[in-house]
Amino acid sequence: MTELTHPLATVPQDELVARAEADPLRPRFHFVSPAGWLNDPNGVGQWNGTYHLFYQYNPEGAFHHRILWGHATSPDLVNWTDQPVALEPSGGPDADGCWSGVLVNDGGTPTLVYSGRNGERELPCVAVGSPDLLSWTKAPENPVIPAPPAGVDITAYRDHCVWREGSRWRQLVGSGIRGRGGTAFLYESADLRRWDYIGPLFIGDASSGDPSATDWQGTMWECVDLFRAGAGALGDQEPDGDGGPDADVLVFSAWHDGDTRHPLYWTGRYSGDSYTPRELHRLDYGGRYFYAPQSFADQSGRRVMFGWLQEGRTEAATVEAGWSGVMSLPRVATPGSEGELAFAPVPEVELLRRGHVRTGPRTVGGGEVLAGVSGNQLDLELDLELEPGSVFRLGVLGSGAENPDGIPNPDGVPAGAEETVIEVGCDVGSGGFTQSYVLLDRTRSSLDRTVDAEEKSGPVQMPGGRLHLRVLVDRSALEIFANGKPLTARAYPTLGGETVRLSATGTVRLLQLDAWRMEEVFSAPRPLFP
Ligand code: DQQ
């Protein structure tokens, strides 16, 4: 083990795992690091049938510093086996960290392209894997691109999207042009080692929109991810069936001056050396709670995406807990009806379901505790029909809700003192048109007033008032899908509440509700260095 070097390394390394394991707020069926810090998903992919998840990892403590690449493998995207650390800083271009990157198949040789950090700057590096992807050798040519494009005043320069097009490799590096906006620089190579600069694929406009808005483009684009949605591959000029002006998706995480804002994506068309954007979309209504997503096409052709659920408690509380960061459940992205993407957790998540309860159809009343369903590891699926003007609320992680009238529990805690509320509404706007939305109300999520309780919300199409709502609760991690629109966030209840409550204003029909407890995926403490 390395010596404690960082001022935030206040928890002895040999105590981190025990601290993390003891935390009741640590998710049990999402992937988390053995302890210490986890951020971006990296090198996501499937190799000879096995899924690989690499991730930004600091086993020294629950803070971002001197980042390594952690690694885990899975036969099914939900049960994970820890593997040895894949990359760690060594002298030279990655002396201060192995930042985000991707896995590609170089004619049968597993190859990582990542950002080596040295001092305050990052440059593209390459590492070559053994056939089992368990040991990695850094390329002697590193950094494979010696400097950002000359003569461009950039805000930052890092993270990679690499794909094969014909007989050449193409690469995007995330960046931003000062005074203009975020961008992705396009390069080309025959061997992943020598790269020719082509130019910016497309430059965003940081002056457009309100910098505090949930769809502000930021001044730098982290973790750019370009892919063809649906059938076909990037660069296909005649996409089979699903092509068109919206066929190519450019995902990025909007960043500004050290601030990780939110993931966004353009739909548009990649052709030749440029990208013609059509529309900008929010990727997840939870914003920074689904940050730095990365996706891959698996062997069945699905577009599978992971994202990083950041913490919502203070840095001090996080460090004290001994762990930080949750990997989202893998989600499948499919082209939606309006050219935007629809998301759903991969069906393999259902492998973890236990104890099925079904209820409905019936009308939802003013407030009821859901009988037979409680817990802090849950998968809930609801089909609803909302009359215009009605609102449906699903309360989870509730404490004391067995006394909904507010009578204190025997321990003196007011009833319903904590509850995290997912609200969906079918509003009638001016002119009579309906504006439907999903909203996460965390004002009563936690008695701990130091945790983030900001409201999260976004629009949802609800044709005919119909809504399919999927809610995954994993202690402090929440993933919500409302007709394919994701809202991911964190909640930090202090009372250990497990109650689920339904309520409605106006007329809401619960057509069907299915609920399951979710099995944990790690049954024993895991070593920091597997
Ligand atoms: N995290 C990585 C960077 C990336 C950022 C460093 C996004 O490569 O830009 O850990 O969260």
Side-chain angles (χ1 to χ4, degrees):
M1 275 185 203
T2 47
E3 240 177 83
L4 300 187
T5 55
H6 193 276
L8 283 174
T10 50
V11 179
Q13 222 174 348
D14 56 8
E15 210 186 298
L16 281 176
V17 172
R19 290 257 188 128
E21 286 289 306
D23 185 352
L25 291 168
R26 191 162 135 97
R28 299 295 201 267
F29 66 92
H30 281 71
F31 183 84
V32 285
S33 63
W37 170 275
L38 165 151
N39 61 300
D40 314 353
N42 290 155
V44 295
Q46 192 180 17
W47 197 278
N48 294 333
T50 298
Y51 290 101
H52 290 261
L53 171 64
F54 300 84
Y55 57 94
Q56 295 277 284
Y57 181 36
N58 179 17
E60 194 184 349
F63 52 90
H64 187 265
H65 175 65
R66 201 179 171 272
I67 295 294
L68 281 50
W69 274 42
H71 183 196
T73 53
S74 173
D76 56 15
L77 286 167
V78 288
N79 292 290
W80 296 97
T81 302
D82 290 312
Q83 302 294 354
V85 160
L87 294 176
E88 61 180 311
S90 46
D94 65 8
D96 294 308
C98 299
W99 282 21
S100 286
V102 292
L103 167 70
V104 292
N105 183 339
D106 184 13
T109 303
T111 303
L112 302 176
V113 182
Y114 67 102
S115 290
R117 177 169 168 92
N118 190 332
E120 291 296 307
R121 89 187 211 148
E122 294 86 44
L123 288 172
C125 292
V126 162
V128 170
S130 54
D132 59 6
L133 285 76
L134 298 187
S135 58
W136 297 87
T137 307
K138 294 174 186 173
E141 297 89 344
N142 285 342
V144 294
I145 298 175
V152 189
D153 187 9
I154 56 165
T155 49
Y157 176 83
R158 58 175 170 265
D159 309 334
H160 314 268
C161 175
V162 181
W163 70 99
R164 188 88 181 159
E165 209 174 304
S167 59
R168 314 271 296 171
W169 290 101
R170 287 204 144 191
Q171 167 169 209
L172 294 176
V173 182
S175 190
I177 299 177
R178 208 173 296 282
R180 291 191 66 185
T183 192
F185 292 122
L186 178 63
Y187 294 82
E188 196 171 66
S189 171
D191 61 2
L192 295 169
R193 306 295 192 282
R194 280 158 303 193
W195 292 89
D196 297 322
Y197 175 55
I198 298 177
L201 179 76
F202 161 56
I203 305 170
D205 182 3
S207 71
S208 124
D210 175 356
S212 64
T214 49
D215 62 353
W216 184 53
Q217 296 173 35
T219 52
M220 189 256 164
W221 292 352
E222 295 194 298
C223 301
V224 288
D225 187 13
L226 177 68
F227 57 86
R228 167 74 45 97
L234 277 183
D236 287 357
Q237 293 311 313
E238 297 293 339
D240 12 330
D242 287 329
D246 289 321
D248 299 321
V249 173
L250 178 61
V251 174
F252 63 97
S253 289
W255 179 95
H256 175 64
D257 209 12
D259 196 7
T260 52
R261 291 286 174 90
H262 41 239
L264 301 173
Y265 66 97
W266 293 98
T267 50
R269 196 57 194 265
Y270 161 70
S271 175
D273 296 337
S274 64
Y275 183 82
T276 309
R278 273 255 291 199
E279 228 179 318
L280 182 66
H281 303 265
R282 294 166 66 194
L283 185 80
D284 189 298
Y285 296 152
R288 66 182 283 278
Y289 290 110
F290 186 84
Y291 198 74
Q294 191 181 99
S295 72
F296 68 104
D298 78 356
Q299 288 168 4
S300 69
R302 299 182 296 182
R303 174 61 46 181
V304 178
M305 182 180 283
F306 288 89
W308 164 42
L309 280 64
Q310 306 198 41
E311 293 299 323
R313 44 188 177 185
T314 63
E315 186 180 68
T318 301
V319 167
E320 199 60 20
W323 70 281
S324 173
V326 178
M327 199 57 77
S328 74
L329 296 169
R331 49 181 75 164
V332 179
T334 46
S337 51
E338 313 275 310
E340 81 293 5
L341 295 174
F343 293 93
V346 295
E348 289 91 327
V349 167
E350 297 164 21
L351 293 168
L352 303 174
R353 289 171 165 177
R354 304 286 181 272
H356 184 200
V357 173
R358 173 170 288 179
T359 178
R362 64 188 150 91
T363 301
V364 182
E368 56 168 293
V369 170
L370 190 59
V373 179
S374 72
N376 55 13
Q377 293 172 218
L378 295 173
D379 187 354
L380 307 170
E381 285 208 67
L382 294 85
D383 283 298
L384 298 160
E385 204 169 74
L386 287 89
E387 289 283 315
S390 66
V391 174
F392 170 77
R393 292 183 196 85
L394 174 71
V396 296
L397 301 171
S399 55
E402 64 275 10
N403 289 322
D405 299 331
I407 304 159
N409 292 326
D411 57 5
V413 174
E418 289 183 338
E419 189 176 50
T420 296
V421 180
I422 297 131
E423 178 177 307
V424 286
C426 195
D427 279 354
V428 184
S430 56
F433 61 88
T434 56
Q435 288 174 310
S436 305
Y437 64 89
V438 59
L439 179 152
L440 179 68
D441 178 355
R442 294 182 294 167
T443 47
R444 290 191 306 116
S445 283
S446 180
L447 293 179
D448 177 353
R449 293 289 164 224
T450 68
V451 303
D452 176 39
E454 197 190 5
E455 183 177 292
K456 302 285 177 188
S457 67
V460 174
Q461 302 277 327
M462 278 184 218
R466 292 288 290 260
L467 177 74
H468 182 73
L469 183 65
R470 176 97 177 261
V471 176
L472 292 130
V473 181
D474 191 2
R475 294 168 184 251
S476 61
L478 284 172
E479 296 197 48
I480 301 159
F481 298 85
N483 279 353
K485 295 287 186 195
L487 192 166
T488 307
R490 307 293 302 276
Y492 299 90
T494 62
L495 303 173
E498 301 200 339
T499 303
V500 178
R501 207 133 77 99
L502 312 181
S503 67
T505 313
T507 308
V508 176
R509 292 269 302 154
L510 175 66
L511 304 175
Q512 185 168 303
L513 181 150
D514 292 283
W516 296 265
R517 266 183 303 109
M518 295 298 272
E519 191 67 86
E520 62 186 25
V521 296
F522 296 105
S523 50
R526 299 144 63 199
L528 283 174
F529 293 93

